[in-house]
Amino acid sequence: MKFKLYIFALLALTVVNCTREHLPELVKEDEMIIIIRATIPQGTRVAYNDTTLELSWESGDQILLAGYDADGNYIDCATFNWSGGNNFTGTAVACAETYKAYYPATVTLDANGNVQPCDAIFWQQTQNGNGTTGHLRNKLLLFDEVANPIGQTFNLVLKSSLIRFNLKGVSTDIGTLNNLSWTVETETGVFNSMTLNLTGVTHSSASDSITAFLAFDPAVMNIAAGGKVKITLLGNKSYYWWSSPVANEKTYDRGNRYKATVNSGWEEIINPLSYVAEYNVNPAGNGFVTDSVDCNVSGYFTWSNAVTSFNTNNGISGYHLPSREEWCSVVPQNSNLVHYVTNDSFDNQSETVIIAGNSYTMTSDYRNQSASNTCYALRYKGTDMVSAWKYEHFSNGNNSHMKVTSCSVAPSITINDISKATFWSSGTGNDVVRYFPYSGNIDPWGSSKEMGTQGYFWSSTAHDNYNACHMLCCNLFAYSGSSSFKTFKFTVRLFANP
């Protein structure tokens, strides 16, 4: 099957205008036939060449034929196998008089022969290498929905579209990229996103241009009047770019390829966990310890001493004692959410936190798994900082501690994605990790208590005249809504100043 290509771009995502080009229109060829034979189906591929703008069949391609009787009633479907040229080989549907054709053969039909939503076909696109297009082969939808006899040529029409991203001006510290996310505002405050996984793409001063291709359903990626477009790049560090609001509604048409060019305006995504100092404050209060999990080395401070030393007197330059709302940016206030001895699930939990002096209200999902003493969370949904979190309890005597790992993720990631251990076994260059030792406390009478079993970390927020708020972590749970007498001595973990 040959294609004439007419590509025209209707939308510019940046200050750079898109050029009009033409995209593929399929042409009926007299020599194109379907040969009915009994063969073993193979995998399906359609090759796309962005230089020549051509589509072509490849070895292993498949199409799905839906068979209908003389009255137009759907009977069944059959998979046909590419056998060279424009020919496909397969077994005819018994008693079928006419057929409709679909590519890829993984398209799902209901009992009446109707095509079911094809969202799954566009999921999990992975581009291997900068500017490559091989991943598009089984992500293009090509349908002939006119019922024809088996001997006639099937004229497949593109139902999907392509977008090519040309991205420059991103800081080279993004390093090796994990994925690209494309988000459009379809209605005021309503966003749809698509994610392209990336492998073999490293951004550097020697290679500072990123070219990526994404196949998509144009029906779900239109931009409302006044809407915005966002592009997110996740790598060793993460960056995003927002467009200005569009004046008029922007729509995509089926069968077109679009260009999106961004040359500047990228902003770094700061993971909230990165504001937390890596180590506890030392006993002298003038610096940090050098061990992440040793329960015996940290300093202990009453609440008033901690506030005076690290906020009033700024005892350690560049850092401060965090408020309760700042602690909530890392560990939630509700004690039920991060729990190591239950298997409870919580979705769309509203949380209000402070990060770098700014207040954020977001929703979060949590999954507790007692078998592994772990809680997985998808936090900061609805913000630019959507991120995956893993809270782990480790019992190891005087090295007992809580480990918190967080990484920025694409908006399309779900709590079910991140609540699997396999999610955390790759792409770790984007991870931020902090350890919180269970150093216990010293009571007002000078007795050391609970070392190796609980960790107490002061906040700068007073609960009342006698008590102050702190973050508590132990073998059961972790939360930032606890309070204790101000005269107790707890350990101190500082946050970086904005």
Side-chain angles (χ1 to χ4, degrees):
M1 182 164 36
K2 299 180 181 178
F3 301 78
K4 288 182 182 176
L5 301 177
Y6 302 94
I7 298 182
F8 47 106
L10 304 181
L11 174 64
L13 291 184
T14 69
V15 294
V16 179
N17 289 328
C18 291
T19 57
R20 261 188 180 287
E21 300 172 326
H22 299 272
L23 231 186
E25 170 188 316
L26 299 177
V27 179
K28 182 183 289 187
E29 305 258 347
D30 291 339
E31 75 276 14
M32 181 178 181
I33 60 174
I34 301 294
I35 303 173
I36 300 177
R37 297 176 183 168
T39 60
I40 299 174
Q42 301 176 12
T44 304
R45 296 291 183 272
V46 171
Y48 170 69
N49 187 313
D50 191 64
T51 301
T52 62
L53 304 179
E54 292 181 349
L55 294 169
S56 62
W57 297 117
E58 285 189 336
S59 177
D61 283 349
Q62 288 178 313
I63 59 174
L64 185 72
L65 293 189
Y68 296 82
D69 65 20
D71 296 322
N73 299 310
Y74 173 68
I75 302 174
D76 201 351
C77 59
T79 300
F80 277 65
N81 210 62
W82 183 67
S83 56
N86 292 311
N87 301 331
F88 285 80
T89 301
T91 302
V93 175
C95 301
E97 297 287 335
T98 58
Y99 293 83
K100 298 179 183 179
Y102 303 95
Y103 174 86
T106 52
V107 167
T108 302
L109 307 178
D110 66 14
N112 297 314
N114 298 314
V115 178
Q116 297 305 287
C118 297
D119 296 350
I121 290 176
F122 299 110
W123 295 343
Q124 300 300 319
Q125 296 183 54
T126 299
Q127 177 176 315
N128 183 14
N130 196 17
T132 62
T133 59
H135 63 288
L136 300 174
R137 292 172 181 171
N138 60 349
K139 301 299 181 182
L140 302 174
L141 298 180
L142 296 148
F143 296 173
D144 185 346
E145 297 177 283
V146 177
N148 293 314
I150 195 72
Q152 290 192 13
T153 298
F154 288 89
N155 297 306
L156 299 178
V157 177
L158 273 165
K159 295 295 184 178
S160 55
S161 296
L162 301 175
I163 185 167
R164 183 179 74 184
F165 298 93
N166 293 109
L167 310 177
K168 294 184 178 180
V170 186
S171 175
T172 56
D173 64 5
I174 198 171
T176 300
L177 276 71
N178 297 320
N179 59 54
L180 177 155
S181 178
W182 175 40
T183 303
V184 298
E185 190 171 9
T186 57
E187 300 177 31
T188 302
V190 178
F191 297 88
N192 283 346
S193 295
M194 292 195 64
T195 298
L196 174 66
N197 298 320
L198 297 169
T199 62
V201 181
T202 299
H203 194 55
S204 66
S205 57
S207 179
D208 64 350
S209 179
I210 301 167
T211 302
F213 295 86
L214 189 65
F216 68 98
D217 182 352
V220 300
M221 295 300 286
N222 293 329
I223 309 169
K228 299 175 70 177
V229 177
K230 179 184 179 184
I231 299 172
T232 305
L233 294 172
L234 303 182
N236 295 348
K237 289 193 175 181
S238 303
Y239 289 83
Y240 70 90
W241 172 87
W242 273 109
S243 74
S244 300
V246 299
N248 302 308
E249 181 184 13
K250 300 294 183 180
T251 59
Y252 296 96
D253 290 333
R254 296 183 184 276
N256 292 343
R257 189 201 67 175
Y258 299 87
K259 296 179 181 178
T261 302
V262 177
N263 292 316
S264 61
W266 297 95
E267 295 186 33
E268 185 178 359
I269 301 172
I270 305 297
N271 188 291
L273 186 57
S274 65
Y275 284 100
V276 181
E278 290 192 50
Y279 302 99
N280 284 355
V281 173
N282 63 24
N286 58 4
F288 300 104
V289 302
T290 57
D291 192 291
S292 298
V293 298
D294 191 337
C295 300
N296 290 295
V297 297
S298 301
Y300 296 86
F301 305 83
T302 64
W303 179 78
S304 60
N305 285 341
V307 172
T308 300
S309 297
F310 307 113
N311 285 4
T312 305
N313 296 336
N314 299 313
I316 298 179
S317 178
Y319 293 89
H320 65 279
L321 186 69
S323 67
R324 181 188 64 185
E325 291 77 13
E326 287 179 288
W327 266 121
C328 290
S329 72
V330 176
V331 179
Q333 183 174 346
N334 187 331
S335 62
N336 292 321
L337 299 182
V338 177
H339 219 281
Y340 304 124
V341 295
T342 70
N343 294 301
D344 294 334
S345 298
F346 302 92
D347 290 331
N348 298 315
Q349 299 294 301
S350 179
E351 300 184 71
T352 299
V353 304
I354 291 178
I355 303 170
N358 298 310
S359 179
Y360 297 87
T361 297
M362 71 337 192
T363 58
S364 305
D365 303 333
Y366 293 85
R367 296 290 184 272
N368 295 311
Q369 296 186 3
S370 61
S372 58
N373 292 321
T374 301
C375 172
Y376 298 102
L378 180 65
R379 306 187 72 204
Y380 294 92
K381 296 193 302 179
T383 76
D384 294 329
M385 296 176 292
V386 59
S387 42
W389 294 70
K390 180 170 64 170
Y391 302 86
E392 299 173 276
H393 159 70
F394 291 93
S395 181
N396 187 22
N398 283 336
N399 287 321
S400 298
H401 62 278
M402 175 177 70
K403 178 183 178 182
V404 181
T405 307
S406 180
C407 63
S408 299
V409 296
S412 57
I413 293 296
T414 68
I415 184 63
N416 291 332
D417 295 325
I418 68 173
S419 58
K420 302 179 179 67
T422 52
F423 174 86
W424 300 90
S425 62
S426 62
T428 57
N430 187 34
D431 289 354
V432 181
V433 181
R434 295 293 185 267
Y435 300 87
F436 300 90
Y438 299 160
S439 298
N441 66 82
I442 298 176
D443 66 25
W445 302 276
S447 299
S448 179
K449 300 170 58 180
E450 299 173 317
M451 181 179 292
T453 62
Q454 301 200 53
Y456 298 85
F457 297 83
W458 279 127
S459 80
S460 62
T461 303
H463 179 71
D464 54 32
N465 289 337
Y466 304 102
N467 299 276
C469 301
H470 58 83
M471 190 276 281
L472 170 62
C473 52
C474 62
N475 64 321
L476 299 177
F477 47 68
Y479 72 113
S480 297
S482 186
S483 64
S484 294
F485 288 119
K486 297 176 180 179
T487 51
F488 274 80
K489 292 183 178 181
F490 293 163
T491 51
V492 166
R493 182 65 65 90
L494 303 181
F495 282 35
N497 294 338

